[in-house]
Amino acid sequence: MTSRRLDARIERFPLAKPFTISRSTVSDVELVVIRLEDEAGQRGWGEERIYSRYGESAESVIGAIEAVRALVEGGCSRVALIDAIPGGAARTALDSALWDLEAKASGSRVYELLDMPQPEPALVTYTIGLGTPEEMAADAKTAGRPLLKLKLGGEGDLERVRAVREAVPEARLIVDANEAWTLSMVQEWGAPMADLAVELIEQPLHADHDDGLAGIDRPVPLCADESCHGPDSLERLVGR
């Protein structure tokens, strides 16, 4: 193992306009940024957003990194890091930096180190923040993107999706409730969402209430987000 120098800092990026989801509004994005430098001068970079939803703050993330500084600078492996630090922004940023450093030091790409094929370009969503139906429709039209994710928040969501569909009839749509729906909303709105050509409903219920999803009809597929954090989450999600 070779020694490394670790630098960790918090960076904040202001948004062009406030971004709203069901539980909060943010005006900037807060990231933890990691730089690792080895004895040969190679540098690996990693970053991750800090999410208060999971009890994280800038102070707690930096504290988690400092707790494993000696281990990281001493040359620990990625596996050792996973065992030493809980999942979250700190571990993700450190893991990314370790992959980047190893790839640069070996002259390889990360996908080559993983013995995987070269990644192909992928279509990703453009996200429309939660607002009135009129605001979201205008934002969707201005975005002009082929695949949109609509942030929803509970009451009035069907009207929001209808307004967006009317504004951009050709766009593909998925929706993300960020845990804001009730089970009755899931059951009542599934068929109308399908009629509006919504392709996916992300995290409709609070993660603690997923039991209600077992066995219900799904006119639109349901996707876990806040309910899924790793392989240990998967068994609990079967059937939901």
Side-chain angles (χ1 to χ4, degrees):
M1 295 190 297
T2 60
S3 63
R4 316 177 184 109
R5 180 178 177 274
L6 165 64
D7 176 70
R9 62 183 183 273
I10 302 298
E11 294 189 4
R12 293 176 177 84
F13 295 88
L15 301 178
K17 60 180 289 187
F19 181 75
T20 299
I21 65 172
S22 62
R23 56 177 169 261
S24 64
T25 298
V26 297
S27 56
D28 59 40
V29 173
E30 189 174 51
L31 303 176
V32 57
V33 180
I34 300 293
R35 186 185 72 181
L36 295 175
E37 184 172 350
D38 66 15
E39 295 169 327
Q42 294 283 0
R43 293 177 176 176
W45 295 83
E47 66 180 31
E48 179 58 277
R49 187 175 176 187
I50 299 168
Y51 287 95
S52 59
R53 164 65 177 80
Y54 306 116
E56 294 184 329
S57 65
E59 294 75 17
S60 70
V61 171
I62 291 295
I65 292 168
E66 290 301 325
V68 295
R69 174 180 289 276
L71 187 66
V72 174
E73 293 190 332
C76 75
S77 67
R78 289 184 301 276
V79 173
L81 180 68
I82 290 172
D83 291 338
I85 187 171
R91 190 169 82 183
T92 301
L94 283 167
D95 185 62
S96 298
L98 286 167
W99 275 112
D100 189 35
L101 182 62
E102 183 175 338
K104 289 173 177 173
S106 65
S108 302
R109 301 282 186 167
V110 170
Y111 70 82
E112 293 171 330
L113 297 177
L114 290 166
D115 195 26
M116 295 176 66
Q118 181 174 354
E120 298 291 335
L123 178 65
V124 298
T125 61
Y126 182 91
T127 303
I128 304 297
L130 177 63
T132 66
E134 297 76 17
E135 290 168 342
M136 295 181 70
D139 287 346
K141 198 162 188 177
T142 299
R145 302 297 181 89
L147 177 59
L148 300 175
K149 176 194 278 195
L150 311 182
K151 291 290 189 178
L152 301 182
E155 294 298 333
D157 281 347
L158 203 52
E159 289 73 19
R160 293 181 175 98
V161 178
R162 285 192 179 119
V164 171
R165 174 52 73 207
E166 291 175 5
V168 287
E170 73 291 346
R172 296 173 60 194
L173 301 180
I174 67 175
V175 302
D176 183 2
N178 284 114
E179 305 179 283
W181 287 8
T182 63
L183 182 57
S184 62
M185 290 174 179
V186 178
Q187 295 170 311
E188 179 183 349
W189 290 343
M193 290 285 179
D195 291 341
L196 290 165
V198 171
E199 299 181 21
L200 190 73
I201 296 171
E202 183 176 339
Q203 197 65 41
L205 302 183
H206 191 281
D208 293 340
H209 302 154
D210 282 339
D211 286 351
L213 299 175
I216 68 169
D217 291 335
R218 293 177 175 80
V220 179
L222 304 183
C223 168
D225 180 1
E226 287 88 345
S227 294
C228 185
H229 297 277
D232 57 344
S233 303
L234 298 180
E235 184 176 354
R236 182 175 54 83
L237 295 176
V238 172
R240 299 178 183 177

